[in-house]
Amino acid sequence: MNVYLLRHGRTAWTEQHRYQGRRDIPLSPEGEAELRRADFAPAVVWVSPLSRARRTAELLFPGAEQQVEPDLVEMDFGAFEGRSYKDMEDDRAYRAWVDGGCWGRCPGGEDRPGFCLRARTAVERLVDRALEEGREELVIVAHGGVLMAAMEGLALPEKDYF
């Protein structure tokens, strides 16, 4: 079975280096223009509930059925969402989080270990289901953090989150 882990297209916040997290930021016009129909057509694509992932899947795989998996949503960055790293250079909570390897809990959000467990478990569950159903491919369209969590925990050779 082939497993395709795809990150959503660009948004305005991507360009501004803002933490998007769970905010439902749509693809930018440039992000939409960059996406083209894929050269294969899966019957089903598993997606995050956020519109940037769903729209990406729609543009890449226009005929596919979208199955929303809530646990594929990006990390909840809490108070950091909507802000860029430059905006927070002097923010003590942000500095502490970054200096701690981004392991701790974001104020009002998730911690990385809990997020990684959630994301990795969702991908494992989808892989198991696809295998049980005898699928030749599994396509997931989600977020950078979700894909990094899945690759860190499931890929061989093993890789660090970042």
CSV table of all heavy atoms in Angstrom, one decimal, residues 6-9 24-27 32 35 45-62 64-70 72 140-143:
chain,number,residue,atom,x,y,z
A,6,LEU,N,0.0,14.6,2.7
A,6,LEU,CA,0.1,15.8,2.0
A,6,LEU,C,-0.2,17.0,2.9
A,6,LEU,O,-1.2,16.9,3.6
A,6,LEU,CB,-0.8,15.8,0.8
A,6,LEU,CG,-0.5,14.7,-0.2
A,6,LEU,CD1,-1.7,14.6,-1.2
A,6,LEU,CD2,0.8,14.8,-0.9
A,7,ARG,N,0.6,18.1,2.9
A,7,ARG,CA,0.3,19.3,3.6
A,7,ARG,C,-0.6,20.2,2.7
A,7,ARG,O,-0.5,20.2,1.5
A,7,ARG,CB,1.5,20.0,4.0
A,7,ARG,CG,1.3,21.3,4.8
A,7,ARG,CD,2.6,22.0,5.0
A,7,ARG,NE,2.5,23.1,5.9
A,7,ARG,CZ,2.2,24.3,5.5
A,7,ARG,NH1,2.0,24.6,4.2
A,7,ARG,NH2,2.0,25.3,6.3
A,8,HIS,N,-1.5,20.9,3.4
A,8,HIS,CA,-2.4,21.8,2.7
A,8,HIS,C,-1.5,22.9,1.9
A,8,HIS,O,-0.4,23.1,2.3
A,8,HIS,CB,-3.3,22.5,3.7
A,8,HIS,CG,-2.6,23.3,4.7
A,8,HIS,ND1,-2.1,24.6,4.5
A,8,HIS,CD2,-2.4,23.0,6.0
A,8,HIS,CE1,-1.6,25.0,5.6
A,8,HIS,NE2,-1.7,24.1,6.5
A,9,GLY,N,-2.2,23.6,1.0
A,9,GLY,CA,-1.5,24.7,0.3
A,9,GLY,C,-1.3,25.9,1.1
A,9,GLY,O,-1.7,26.0,2.3
A,24,ASP,N,-9.3,28.5,11.3
A,24,ASP,CA,-9.8,28.0,10.0
A,24,ASP,C,-9.4,29.0,8.9
A,24,ASP,O,-10.3,29.7,8.4
A,24,ASP,CB,-11.2,27.7,10.0
A,24,ASP,CG,-11.6,26.7,8.9
A,24,ASP,OD1,-10.7,26.2,8.2
A,24,ASP,OD2,-12.8,26.5,8.7
A,25,ILE,N,-8.2,29.1,8.6
A,25,ILE,CA,-7.7,30.1,7.6
A,25,ILE,C,-7.7,29.4,6.2
A,25,ILE,O,-7.2,28.3,6.0
A,25,ILE,CB,-6.2,30.5,7.9
A,25,ILE,CG1,-6.1,31.0,9.4
A,25,ILE,CG2,-5.7,31.5,7.0
A,25,ILE,CD1,-6.9,32.1,9.8
A,26,PRO,N,-8.4,30.1,5.3
A,26,PRO,CA,-8.5,29.5,3.9
A,26,PRO,C,-7.2,29.6,3.1
A,26,PRO,O,-6.3,30.4,3.5
A,26,PRO,CB,-9.6,30.4,3.3
A,26,PRO,CG,-9.5,31.7,3.9
A,26,PRO,CD,-9.1,31.4,5.4
A,27,LEU,N,-7.2,28.8,2.1
A,27,LEU,CA,-6.0,29.0,1.1
A,27,LEU,C,-6.0,30.4,0.6
A,27,LEU,O,-7.1,31.0,0.4
A,27,LEU,CB,-6.2,28.0,0.0
A,27,LEU,CG,-6.1,26.5,0.3
A,27,LEU,CD1,-6.2,25.7,-1.0
A,27,LEU,CD2,-4.8,26.2,1.0
A,32,GLU,N,-4.1,28.5,-3.9
A,32,GLU,CA,-5.1,27.8,-4.8
A,32,GLU,C,-4.5,27.7,-6.2
A,32,GLU,O,-4.6,26.6,-6.8
A,32,GLU,CB,-6.4,28.5,-4.8
A,32,GLU,CG,-7.2,28.3,-3.6
A,32,GLU,CD,-8.7,28.3,-3.8
A,32,GLU,OE1,-9.2,28.2,-5.0
A,32,GLU,OE2,-9.4,28.5,-2.8
A,35,LEU,N,-2.0,24.8,-6.9
A,35,LEU,CA,-2.4,23.4,-6.8
A,35,LEU,C,-3.0,23.0,-8.1
A,35,LEU,O,-3.9,23.7,-8.7
A,35,LEU,CB,-3.4,23.3,-5.7
A,35,LEU,CG,-2.8,23.5,-4.3
A,35,LEU,CD1,-4.0,23.6,-3.2
A,35,LEU,CD2,-1.8,22.4,-3.9
A,45,VAL,N,-10.2,10.4,0.2
A,45,VAL,CA,-9.1,11.2,0.7
A,45,VAL,C,-9.5,11.5,2.2
A,45,VAL,O,-10.6,12.1,2.4
A,45,VAL,CB,-8.9,12.5,-0.1
A,45,VAL,CG1,-7.8,13.3,0.6
A,45,VAL,CG2,-8.5,12.2,-1.5
A,46,TRP,N,-8.6,11.3,3.1
A,46,TRP,CA,-8.9,11.6,4.5
A,46,TRP,C,-8.3,13.0,4.7
A,46,TRP,O,-7.2,13.3,4.3
A,46,TRP,CB,-8.2,10.6,5.4
A,46,TRP,CG,-8.9,9.3,5.3
A,46,TRP,CD1,-8.6,8.2,4.5
A,46,TRP,CD2,-10.0,8.9,6.1
A,46,TRP,NE1,-9.5,7.2,4.6
A,46,TRP,CE2,-10.4,7.6,5.6
A,46,TRP,CE3,-10.8,9.4,7.0
A,46,TRP,CZ2,-11.4,6.8,6.1
A,46,TRP,CZ3,-11.9,8.7,7.6
A,46,TRP,CH2,-12.2,7.4,7.1
A,47,VAL,N,-9.1,13.9,5.4
A,47,VAL,CA,-8.8,15.3,5.5
A,47,VAL,C,-9.0,15.7,7.0
A,47,VAL,O,-9.8,15.2,7.7
A,47,VAL,CB,-9.6,16.2,4.6
A,47,VAL,CG1,-9.2,15.9,3.1
A,47,VAL,CG2,-11.1,16.0,4.8
A,48,SER,N,-8.2,16.8,7.3
A,48,SER,CA,-8.5,17.5,8.5
A,48,SER,C,-9.8,18.3,8.3
A,48,SER,O,-10.2,18.6,7.2
A,48,SER,CB,-7.4,18.6,8.7
A,48,SER,OG,-7.8,19.7,9.5
A,49,PRO,N,-10.5,18.6,9.4
A,49,PRO,CA,-11.7,19.4,9.3
A,49,PRO,C,-11.5,20.8,8.8
A,49,PRO,O,-12.5,21.5,8.5
A,49,PRO,CB,-12.4,19.3,10.7
A,49,PRO,CG,-11.3,19.0,11.6
A,49,PRO,CD,-10.2,18.2,10.8
A,50,LEU,N,-10.3,21.3,8.8
A,50,LEU,CA,-10.1,22.7,8.5
A,50,LEU,C,-10.1,23.0,7.0
A,50,LEU,O,-9.7,22.1,6.2
A,50,LEU,CB,-8.8,23.2,9.1
A,50,LEU,CG,-8.7,23.2,10.6
A,50,LEU,CD1,-7.3,23.6,11.1
A,50,LEU,CD2,-9.8,24.0,11.3
A,51,SER,N,-10.7,24.1,6.6
A,51,SER,CA,-11.0,24.4,5.2
A,51,SER,C,-9.7,24.4,4.3
A,51,SER,O,-9.8,24.0,3.2
A,51,SER,CB,-11.7,25.7,5.0
A,51,SER,OG,-11.0,26.8,5.5
A,52,ARG,N,-8.6,24.8,4.9
A,52,ARG,CA,-7.4,24.8,4.0
A,52,ARG,C,-7.0,23.4,3.6
A,52,ARG,O,-6.5,23.2,2.4
A,52,ARG,CB,-6.2,25.5,4.7
A,52,ARG,CG,-5.8,25.0,6.0
A,52,ARG,CD,-4.8,26.0,6.7
A,52,ARG,NE,-4.3,25.6,8.0
A,52,ARG,CZ,-4.8,25.9,9.1
A,52,ARG,NH1,-5.9,26.7,9.2
A,52,ARG,NH2,-4.3,25.5,10.3
A,53,ALA,N,-7.2,22.4,4.4
A,53,ALA,CA,-6.9,21.0,4.0
A,53,ALA,C,-8.0,20.5,3.1
A,53,ALA,O,-7.6,19.8,2.1
A,53,ALA,CB,-6.8,20.1,5.3
A,54,ARG,N,-9.2,20.8,3.4
A,54,ARG,CA,-10.3,20.2,2.6
A,54,ARG,C,-10.3,20.8,1.2
A,54,ARG,O,-10.5,20.1,0.2
A,54,ARG,CB,-11.6,20.5,3.3
A,54,ARG,CG,-11.7,19.7,4.6
A,54,ARG,CD,-12.9,20.0,5.4
A,54,ARG,NE,-14.1,19.6,4.7
A,54,ARG,CZ,-15.3,20.3,4.8
A,54,ARG,NH1,-15.4,21.3,5.7
A,54,ARG,NH2,-16.3,19.9,4.1
A,55,ARG,N,-10.0,22.1,1.1
A,55,ARG,CA,-9.9,22.8,-0.3
A,55,ARG,C,-8.7,22.2,-1.1
A,55,ARG,O,-8.8,22.0,-2.3
A,55,ARG,CB,-9.8,24.3,-0.1
A,55,ARG,CG,-9.7,25.0,-1.4
A,55,ARG,CD,-11.0,24.9,-2.2
A,55,ARG,NE,-10.9,25.7,-3.4
A,55,ARG,CZ,-11.4,25.4,-4.6
A,55,ARG,NH1,-12.1,24.3,-4.7
A,55,ARG,NH2,-11.2,26.2,-5.6
A,56,THR,N,-7.6,22.0,-0.4
A,56,THR,CA,-6.4,21.4,-1.0
A,56,THR,C,-6.8,20.0,-1.6
A,56,THR,O,-6.5,19.8,-2.8
A,56,THR,CB,-5.2,21.3,-0.1
A,56,THR,OG1,-4.8,22.6,0.4
A,56,THR,CG2,-4.1,20.6,-0.7
A,57,ALA,N,-7.4,19.2,-0.8
A,57,ALA,CA,-7.9,17.9,-1.3
A,57,ALA,C,-8.8,18.0,-2.5
A,57,ALA,O,-8.7,17.3,-3.5
A,57,ALA,CB,-8.5,17.1,-0.2
A,58,GLU,N,-9.7,19.0,-2.4
A,58,GLU,CA,-10.7,19.2,-3.5
A,58,GLU,C,-10.0,19.5,-4.8
A,58,GLU,O,-10.3,19.0,-5.9
A,58,GLU,CB,-11.6,20.3,-3.1
A,58,GLU,CG,-12.7,20.6,-4.1
A,58,GLU,CD,-13.6,21.8,-3.7
A,58,GLU,OE1,-13.8,22.0,-2.5
A,58,GLU,OE2,-14.1,22.5,-4.6
A,59,LEU,N,-8.9,20.4,-4.7
A,59,LEU,CA,-8.2,20.8,-5.9
A,59,LEU,C,-7.3,19.7,-6.5
A,59,LEU,O,-7.2,19.5,-7.7
A,59,LEU,CB,-7.4,22.0,-5.6
A,59,LEU,CG,-8.2,23.3,-5.4
A,59,LEU,CD1,-7.4,24.4,-4.8
A,59,LEU,CD2,-9.0,23.7,-6.7
A,60,LEU,N,-6.7,18.9,-5.6
A,60,LEU,CA,-5.8,17.8,-6.0
A,60,LEU,C,-6.6,16.6,-6.5
A,60,LEU,O,-6.1,15.9,-7.4
A,60,LEU,CB,-4.9,17.4,-4.9
A,60,LEU,CG,-3.9,18.4,-4.4
A,60,LEU,CD1,-3.1,17.9,-3.1
A,60,LEU,CD2,-2.9,18.7,-5.5
A,61,PHE,N,-7.7,16.3,-5.9
A,61,PHE,CA,-8.4,15.1,-6.1
A,61,PHE,C,-9.9,15.4,-6.3
A,61,PHE,O,-10.7,15.1,-5.4
A,61,PHE,CB,-8.2,14.1,-5.0
A,61,PHE,CG,-6.8,13.9,-4.6
A,61,PHE,CD1,-6.2,14.4,-3.5
A,61,PHE,CD2,-6.0,13.1,-5.5
A,61,PHE,CE1,-4.9,14.2,-3.2
A,61,PHE,CE2,-4.6,12.9,-5.2
A,61,PHE,CZ,-4.1,13.5,-4.0
A,62,PRO,N,-10.3,16.1,-7.3
A,62,PRO,CA,-11.7,16.6,-7.5
A,62,PRO,C,-12.8,15.6,-7.4
A,62,PRO,O,-13.9,15.9,-7.0
A,62,PRO,CB,-11.7,17.4,-8.8
A,62,PRO,CG,-10.5,17.0,-9.5
A,62,PRO,CD,-9.5,16.5,-8.5
A,64,ALA,N,-12.7,12.7,-5.6
A,64,ALA,CA,-12.6,11.8,-4.4
A,64,ALA,C,-13.6,12.2,-3.4
A,64,ALA,O,-14.0,13.4,-3.2
A,64,ALA,CB,-11.2,12.0,-3.8
A,65,GLU,N,-14.1,11.2,-2.7
A,65,GLU,CA,-14.9,11.4,-1.5
A,65,GLU,C,-14.0,11.9,-0.4
A,65,GLU,O,-12.9,11.3,-0.1
A,65,GLU,CB,-15.6,10.1,-1.1
A,65,GLU,CG,-16.3,10.2,0.2
A,65,GLU,CD,-16.8,8.8,0.7
A,65,GLU,OE1,-16.8,7.8,-0.1
A,65,GLU,OE2,-17.2,8.7,1.8
A,66,GLN,N,-14.4,12.9,0.3
A,66,GLN,CA,-13.6,13.4,1.5
A,66,GLN,C,-14.1,12.8,2.8
A,66,GLN,O,-15.3,12.9,3.0
A,66,GLN,CB,-13.6,14.9,1.5
A,66,GLN,CG,-12.7,15.6,0.5
A,66,GLN,CD,-12.6,17.0,0.7
A,66,GLN,OE1,-12.7,17.5,1.8
A,66,GLN,NE2,-12.2,17.8,-0.3
A,67,GLN,N,-13.3,12.2,3.5
A,67,GLN,CA,-13.6,11.7,4.9
A,67,GLN,C,-12.9,12.6,5.9
A,67,GLN,O,-11.7,12.6,5.9
A,67,GLN,CB,-13.2,10.3,5.0
A,67,GLN,CG,-14.0,9.3,4.2
A,67,GLN,CD,-15.4,9.1,4.7
A,67,GLN,OE1,-15.6,9.1,5.9
A,67,GLN,NE2,-16.3,8.9,3.8
A,68,VAL,N,-13.7,13.3,6.7
A,68,VAL,CA,-13.1,14.2,7.7
A,68,VAL,C,-12.7,13.4,8.9
A,68,VAL,O,-13.5,12.6,9.5
A,68,VAL,CB,-14.0,15.3,8.1
A,68,VAL,CG1,-13.5,16.2,9.2
A,68,VAL,CG2,-14.4,16.2,6.9
A,69,GLU,N,-11.4,13.5,9.3
A,69,GLU,CA,-10.9,12.9,10.6
A,69,GLU,C,-10.5,14.0,11.5
A,69,GLU,O,-9.5,14.7,11.3
A,69,GLU,CB,-9.7,12.0,10.2
A,69,GLU,CG,-9.0,11.5,11.5
A,69,GLU,CD,-9.9,10.8,12.5
A,69,GLU,OE1,-10.5,9.8,12.1
A,69,GLU,OE2,-9.9,11.3,13.6
A,70,PRO,N,-11.3,14.2,12.6
A,70,PRO,CA,-11.1,15.4,13.5
A,70,PRO,C,-9.7,15.4,14.1
A,70,PRO,O,-9.1,16.4,14.4
A,70,PRO,CB,-12.2,15.2,14.6
A,70,PRO,CG,-13.3,14.4,13.9
A,70,PRO,CD,-12.6,13.5,12.9
A,72,LEU,N,-7.0,14.8,12.8
A,72,LEU,CA,-5.9,15.3,11.9
A,72,LEU,C,-5.8,16.8,11.9
A,72,LEU,O,-5.0,17.4,11.2
A,72,LEU,CB,-6.2,14.9,10.4
A,72,LEU,CG,-6.2,13.4,10.1
A,72,LEU,CD1,-6.6,13.1,8.7
A,72,LEU,CD2,-4.7,12.8,10.4
A,140,ILE,N,-3.9,11.2,2.8
A,140,ILE,CA,-4.2,12.1,3.9
A,140,ILE,C,-3.7,13.5,3.6
A,140,ILE,O,-2.6,13.7,3.2
A,140,ILE,CB,-3.5,11.6,5.2
A,140,ILE,CG1,-4.0,10.2,5.6
A,140,ILE,CG2,-3.7,12.6,6.3
A,140,ILE,CD1,-3.3,9.6,6.8
A,141,VAL,N,-4.7,14.5,3.7
A,141,VAL,CA,-4.3,15.9,3.5
A,141,VAL,C,-4.6,16.6,4.8
A,141,VAL,O,-5.7,16.6,5.3
A,141,VAL,CB,-5.2,16.5,2.4
A,141,VAL,CG1,-4.8,18.0,2.2
A,141,VAL,CG2,-5.0,15.8,1.1
A,142,ALA,N,-3.5,17.1,5.4
A,142,ALA,CA,-3.6,17.7,6.7
A,142,ALA,C,-2.6,18.9,6.9
A,142,ALA,O,-2.6,19.7,6.0
A,142,ALA,CB,-3.3,16.6,7.8
A,143,HIS,N,-1.9,18.9,8.0
A,143,HIS,CA,-1.1,20.1,8.3
A,143,HIS,C,0.3,19.7,8.6
A,143,HIS,O,0.6,18.5,8.9
A,143,HIS,CB,-1.7,20.7,9.6
A,143,HIS,CG,-3.2,21.0,9.4
A,143,HIS,ND1,-3.6,22.1,8.8
A,143,HIS,CD2,-4.2,20.3,9.8
A,143,HIS,CE1,-5.0,22.1,8.8
A,143,HIS,NE2,-5.3,21.0,9.4
